[in-house]
């Protein structure tokens, strides 16, 4: 029995996977997706396994994994390397938590600067601009 994801041209494959043709070619160049054989006088054909693999790559990218990290996850895809995959995910989780902490610091500083801008009276200089220029306590330096 043939599924709807069998014997696909690259264009149909890209549509089925929810990406464009250039993404398919890029993943092939990066080694994330094998390039199928091209029968003499014909065109390459893709199947459900290829669609699943591209969807895997896109899902991993949405979680913040780099293409190198995704290649490593694909290498571990046989089901016998859950500990190694978990280790990669733990590192990614730590990266995400660090970025969240950085964003929280940036949000606090920007919030303070916006409040200072709204509270200013008269012809004094803009607290945001002054802070970014390194004047008056340099609140923006604390966000880095």
């Amino acid at each position: 029995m043939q599924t709807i994801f069998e014997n696909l041209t690259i264009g149909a494959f890209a549509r089925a996977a929810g990406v464009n043709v250039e993404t398919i070619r890029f993943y092939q160049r990066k080694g994330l997706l094998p390039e199928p054989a091209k029968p003499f006088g014909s065109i390459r054909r893709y199947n459900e396994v290829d669609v699943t693999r591209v969807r895997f790559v896109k899902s991993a990218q949405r979680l913040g994994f780099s293409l190198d990290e995704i290649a490593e996850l694909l290498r571990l895809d046989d089901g016998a390397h859950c500990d190694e995959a978990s280790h990669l995910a733990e590192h990614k989780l730590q990266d995400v938590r660090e970025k969240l902490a950085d964003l929280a610091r940036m949000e606090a500083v920007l919030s303070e600067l916006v409040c200072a801008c709204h509270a200013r009276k008269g012809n004094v200089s803009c607290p945001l601009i002054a802070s970014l220029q390194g004047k008056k306590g340099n609140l923006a330096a604390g966000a880095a």
Side-chain angles (χ1 to χ4, degrees):
M1 183 174 111
Q2 197 175 30
T3 70
I4 61 171
F5 295 136
E6 294 297 321
N7 202 26
L8 300 171
T9 63
I10 194 168
F13 168 40
R15 283 188 298 280
V19 298
N20 64 48
V21 170
E22 287 309 311
T23 300
I24 300 298
R25 292 185 178 127
F26 178 75
Y27 288 170
Q28 288 171 334
R29 285 191 304 273
K30 291 293 188 181
L32 298 171
L33 180 68
E35 189 172 6
K38 183 178 180 181
F40 182 74
S42 187
I43 58 174
R44 290 180 174 86
R45 297 293 178 160
Y46 300 85
N47 60 38
E48 187 169 0
V49 171
D50 299 313
V51 172
T52 299
R53 190 172 182 105
V54 169
R55 288 179 177 168
F56 175 93
V57 171
K58 295 307 289 180
S59 293
Q61 283 182 306
R62 283 190 294 276
L63 289 176
F65 287 98
S66 70
L67 293 181
D68 288 339
E69 291 167 331
I70 294 169
E72 183 64 16
L73 288 170
L74 286 167
R75 187 185 68 74
L76 303 172
D77 187 33
D78 65 3
H81 297 89
C82 191
D83 286 343
E84 290 175 63
S86 175
H87 186 70
L88 284 170
E90 288 169 6
H91 280 286
K92 184 53 59 186
L93 180 59
Q94 184 60 37
D95 289 345
V96 168
R97 287 177 174 156
E98 289 171 6
K99 287 177 185 176
L100 284 170
D102 288 343
L103 287 170
R105 282 190 295 275
M106 291 165 60
E107 188 269 343
V109 170
L110 283 170
S111 178
E112 192 173 332
L113 287 169
V114 166
C115 287
C117 284
H118 290 286
R120 75 180 180 93
K121 304 249 189 286
N123 272 343
V124 297
S125 67
C126 173
L128 172 66
I129 301 298
S131 179
L132 293 173
Q133 290 174 338
K135 299 174 184 172
K136 296 187 181 180
N138 200 2
L139 292 173

